[in-house]
Amino acid sequence: RFFRSLADRRPDPADQMFIACLLRDEVALRFSAQSPMDQAHAVRTARAVAMAAPGRSDLVRAALLHDVGKTHAGIGVAGRSCASLLAIAHLPLSRRMRAYLDHGVLGAADLARAGEAGIVVAFAGAHHAVTAPPGADPEDWAVLRRADDE
């Protein structure tokens, strides 16, 4: 994923239409504030979910929005890699690196304030968790996790 992210670009016109059909207002602005690599990853994830769970716009929205909290950090690939390595080594982190590592909680709070559905908020907040959190359907969670891991 690291090397693919270096070549990622903003969504093409077909992907922009896909996004526009699913996101409006505040959450659309949050999505567009993401870096090109995060937008590209979100679209890939959402397209995989759309194929695996036809008609489940809630799950597709969850896939599109799961990393919006990364905008709080404002760091690129190198900074993200450093943050992850520093965290593994239990070394001090800058405020921005801490925000990157906490992007799930930050994004979930943003999406909850915007009135997003429970699964959208839950997946943003805990998308690295293997098992579904309380209240989330385990099968839905598995679809989202598989798509995010691709």
Side-chain angles (χ1 to χ4, degrees), residues 81-149:
S81 297
C82 287
S84 297
L85 292 172
L86 290 171
I88 289 168
H90 303 288
L91 294 171
L93 298 163
S94 70
R95 180 190 57 77
R96 289 171 48 187
M97 288 180 176
R98 173 55 45 207
Y100 168 70
L101 295 176
D102 292 340
H103 75 271
V105 173
L106 295 169
D110 292 341
L111 294 169
R113 280 191 297 277
E116 279 298 320
I119 190 64
V120 176
V121 174
F123 193 61
H127 58 274
H128 295 289
V130 174
T131 57
D137 181 273
E139 290 181 22
D140 290 346
W141 198 261
V143 167
L144 289 164
R145 289 274 303 141
R146 273 192 304 276
D148 190 29
D149 288 343

Side-chain angles (χ1 to χ4, degrees), residues 14-71:
D15 287 334
Q16 289 175 22
M17 183 66 76
F18 174 71
I19 295 161
C21 289
L22 292 159
L23 305 180
R24 302 249 183 314
D25 304 324
E26 182 182 345
V27 292
L29 292 173
R30 289 196 179 284
F31 180 88
S32 65
Q34 294 181 105
S35 71
M37 71 179 164
D38 291 332
Q39 288 184 33
H41 167 66
V43 169
R44 280 191 301 273
T45 305
R47 292 252 188 224
V49 168
M51 293 293 294
R56 292 295 305 274
S57 63
D58 58 335
L59 298 183
V60 177
R61 289 172 64 83
L64 274 175
L65 297 168
H66 74 281
D67 279 333
V68 296
K70 290 180 180 179
T71 60

